[in-house]
Amino acid sequence: MSSAHAAAPTPRGTVINEPFTLGVASGDPFHDSVVLWTRLAPDPLAEDGLGGMPDRTVEVEWQVAHDERFSDVVTSGTFETGPEHAYSVHVEAEGLRPRADYFYRFRVGNEISPVGRTRTAPVPGSRLDRFAFAFASCQSYTHGHYTAQAHLAEEDLDLVAFLGDYIYETGDQGEIGRGHLPPAEVRTLAEYRVRHAQYKSDTGLQAAHAAFPWAVVFDDHELENNWADDTSYEDDVPPERFLERREQALKAYYEHMPLRSAQRPDGPDLHLYRRLSYGNLVDLHLLDTRQYRDPQVEEDERGDPDRTLLGADQRRWLSSGLSSSRAIWNVLAQQVFFSQRDFADGPPHEFSDDAWDNYEAERNAVRDELARTANPVVLTGDVHANYVVDVKADFGDPDSETVATELVGTSFTSGQDGSEQNPGDEDQLRGNPHIKFINRHRGYVRNTVTPEQWIADYRVVDHVSEPGAPIRDRATFVIGTGEPGARPQV
């Protein structure tokens, strides 16, 4: 599909052929339910953003079974969708057994979707001996082939956590024949829908979605680079006009993600932060670091104690969740670099304005709460590189106590082929002794969590500019229960 185009109107009652071009997905598993997703789009890149569908309501059948042949269907139903929601389908399949594998599919007329596989969570608080998941982020369509996503689909996982930049809003055409559609920065609802459809049309990404449930959060590029609350990163954009764009972007985002009805947008607002529990083993606190943050400021203002990245309500929710958690491991799944990261080799300091360093007082307060929490681990995307970081009680004192661990995952494709390290990475390692590892290949982080330890495998491919690169373990780190800080496994 080389270009977006206008679809001819389809008369009422016309047979819908090949509507499942964007695949299927599941997400946000509870112990007794899971979200099932698809979107009907026989012409997914149609310029009006409606996927070549007829201008009418369509009834979609769905089934969940114990087996891939659907000889043992456990629940089924119908779902009505239409042009108002770009013919997206969000089914919350209920009455399922805890920690069980299921297969699901959809049907419209004589057309049947690909089969997806999903897995429910254990009962909250129940004993769990193992939780396997991967986290990933940043999959620019123009920067690379989705080789890592295809490898991800071959893993044996309970969950994938995607930490943001699912699409990119730019008009970038890249250098590998995967230019963005439409070929300009997207701003309208129809344009965001086409962009999501373009990304979702990739077979590697479809395979990864169909293999296991995902828990997704957005970062900035699902809307615009480095946005903050009602403030555009572009100059001279009034807040009211930016909120109109935000409403279009977040509506299209919800339409294309396996999210529950609790996350359905209300105008420009989408309640994204939420919590998933895996027995007594893991509480996964999924954060939103965009919708409530104060705008980025210069270096001399970053220590203002009133500045917030999370907003008051989300901050209270997180504090309550951490203090009341009885899980062995507490995990923050979030978007931007949490620990202090000084890019300068000596004074003066140089910090990112878009990361937690720009919200220093709130970061340090959250860090202090993590120090009082059982086995805290922070998961991060955004920076297109693998890092392993000791979260220190005082980032200014390398000898201070390590109170948590931050695992930063590289991008799926963003930043193109990547490398072992950038020239400035040695400066980072010298200037930030709490940073233990940096690598800039593409891939994802696979994690195996038990009551005794957390094993993080940094899985990488050597190139994404051409398809077919094999996957390999670049490094493995282990965190022991009651022993914050990761150690390399030789």
Side-chain angles (χ1 to χ4, degrees):
M1 302 171 188
S2 60
S3 63
H5 58 279
T10 307
R12 177 176 292 275
T14 298
V15 173
I16 301 169
N17 294 315
E18 299 185 17
F20 299 108
T21 59
L22 304 182
V24 300
S26 68
D28 278 20
F30 293 172
H31 71 280
D32 58 355
S33 67
V34 68
V35 179
L36 310 177
W37 174 92
T38 193
R39 181 187 162 207
L40 311 180
D43 185 5
L45 303 182
E47 193 175 55
D48 63 2
L50 296 178
M53 286 292 292
D55 185 16
R56 60 178 171 87
T57 299
V58 177
E59 187 173 84
V60 182
E61 300 175 64
W62 58 271
Q63 292 180 314
V64 178
H66 285 304
D67 64 303
E68 199 167 1
R69 294 180 177 273
F70 289 82
S71 60
D72 185 10
V73 173
V74 297
T75 186
S76 61
T78 60
F79 186 95
E80 283 194 349
T81 187
E84 181 182 356
H85 304 293
Y87 303 92
S88 61
V89 175
H90 293 78
V91 172
E92 296 183 24
E94 300 178 330
L96 306 179
R97 291 188 291 111
R99 204 182 179 191
D101 288 345
Y102 290 98
F103 297 89
Y104 62 95
R105 65 184 180 184
F106 302 91
R107 177 174 174 170
V108 174
N110 293 323
E111 299 284 345
I112 299 176
S113 75
V115 174
R117 179 181 60 200
T118 193
R119 181 174 294 171
T120 53
V123 173
S126 62
R127 179 174 175 175
L128 184 64
D129 294 330
R130 182 180 184 272
F131 173 55
F133 79 104
F135 69 91
S137 63
C138 304
Q139 55 180 11
S140 169
Y141 189 86
T142 67
H143 280 192
H145 295 272
Y146 286 176
T147 309
Q149 289 91 319
H151 286 300
L152 178 66
E154 300 300 318
E155 303 278 5
D156 180 13
L157 304 172
D158 299 303
L159 185 76
V160 171
F162 191 85
L163 303 182
D165 293 346
Y166 192 95
I167 65 165
Y168 281 70
E169 83 288 7
T170 70
D172 179 41
Q173 295 302 291
E175 301 171 354
I176 60 171
R178 285 166 62 92
H180 271 149
L181 297 175
E185 183 165 340
V186 293
R187 297 179 183 275
T188 69
L189 177 58
E191 290 169 345
Y192 279 112
R193 284 169 167 170
V194 171
R195 185 63 55 83
H196 274 282
Q198 182 183 28
Y199 278 56
K200 272 287 200 299
S201 67
D202 188 282
T203 56
L205 181 57
Q206 288 187 18
H209 270 297
F212 356 80
W214 285 38
V216 299
V217 290
F218 52 67
D219 189 19
D220 53 344
H221 288 287
E222 289 87 352
L223 169 50
E224 175 201 80
N225 185 43
N226 288 356
W227 64 279
D229 193 0
D230 62 355
T231 303
S232 171
Y233 206 62
E234 298 178 356
D235 293 332
D236 303 321
V237 177
E240 59 272 17
R241 195 170 85 198
F242 180 71
L243 286 175
E244 291 175 0
R245 183 181 180 184
R246 181 172 127 176
E247 180 174 354
Q248 310 311 308
L250 298 192
K251 178 173 172 57
Y253 179 80
Y254 177 80
E255 289 169 347
H256 290 84
M257 297 297 135
L259 290 165
R260 292 180 178 268
S261 59
Q263 277 65 60
R264 183 180 294 118
D266 179 12
D269 302 318
L270 189 158
H271 188 102
L272 190 67
Y273 63 87
R274 60 205 190 279
R275 187 174 295 110
L276 296 177
S277 293
Y278 277 80
N280 69 336
L281 189 59
V282 172
D283 277 350
L284 185 66
H285 311 268
L286 295 146
L287 304 187
D288 175 354
T289 61
R290 284 294 160 190
Q291 287 190 92
Y292 317 107
R293 68 157 69 192
D294 291 323
Q296 298 88 341
V297 294
E298 298 296 327
E299 160 68 17
D300 59 352
E301 300 176 71
R302 73 185 188 96
D304 183 344
D306 295 327
R307 286 178 51 69
T308 182
L309 189 70
L310 299 177
D313 290 345
Q314 182 176 197
R315 181 79 174 81
R316 283 191 293 268
W317 168 86
L318 177 60
S319 296
S320 175
L322 291 174
S323 64
S324 63
S325 175
R326 298 296 176 264
I328 296 172
W329 298 89
N330 274 273
V331 183
L332 304 191
Q334 54 95 55
Q335 297 81 4
V336 295
F337 213 96
F338 181 80
S339 300
Q340 181 171 292
R341 185 172 58 141
D342 187 356
F343 294 96
D345 185 12
H349 298 298
E350 181 184 344
F351 300 106
S352 168
D353 292 343
D354 198 54
W356 282 87
D357 274 332
N358 205 242
Y359 306 80
E360 183 180 25
E362 185 173 61
R363 188 268 310 284
N364 291 346
V366 172
R367 176 202 59 197
D368 293 346
E369 289 186 8
L370 291 175
R372 300 189 292 271
T373 303
N375 299 302
V377 178
V378 181
L379 308 180
T380 300
D382 181 57
V383 295
H384 309 169
N386 291 311
Y387 284 77
V388 175
V389 189
D390 288 348
V391 179
K392 306 299 286 185
D394 178 358
F395 285 113
D397 179 6
D399 295 326
S400 67
E401 183 182 4
T402 297
V403 298
T405 308
E406 182 173 12
L407 304 176
V408 183
T410 188
S411 62
F412 268 144
T413 57
S414 302
Q416 302 173 324
D417 280 339
S419 60
E420 180 61 31
Q421 287 188 346
N422 282 350
D425 289 341
E426 287 301 323
D427 292 343
Q428 278 195 60
L429 291 166
R430 278 195 302 271
N432 303 271
H434 53 282
I435 296 178
K436 304 301 182 182
F437 173 72
I438 305 176
N439 165 265
R440 296 184 181 273
H441 287 112
R442 305 293 157 238
Y444 55 87
V445 183
R446 181 182 63 196
N447 306 271
T448 305
V449 186
T450 71
E452 294 76 35
Q453 64 181 8
W454 178 308
I455 301 174
D457 298 314
Y458 283 76
R459 307 270 283 161
V460 301
V461 294
D462 288 328
H463 60 81
V464 292
S465 55
E466 295 180 356
I471 192 87
R472 61 186 175 92
D473 288 346
R474 169 58 185 83
T476 295
F477 285 81
V478 179
I479 310 165
T481 306
E483 302 173 354
R487 62 185 187 275
Q489 187 176 73
V490 180

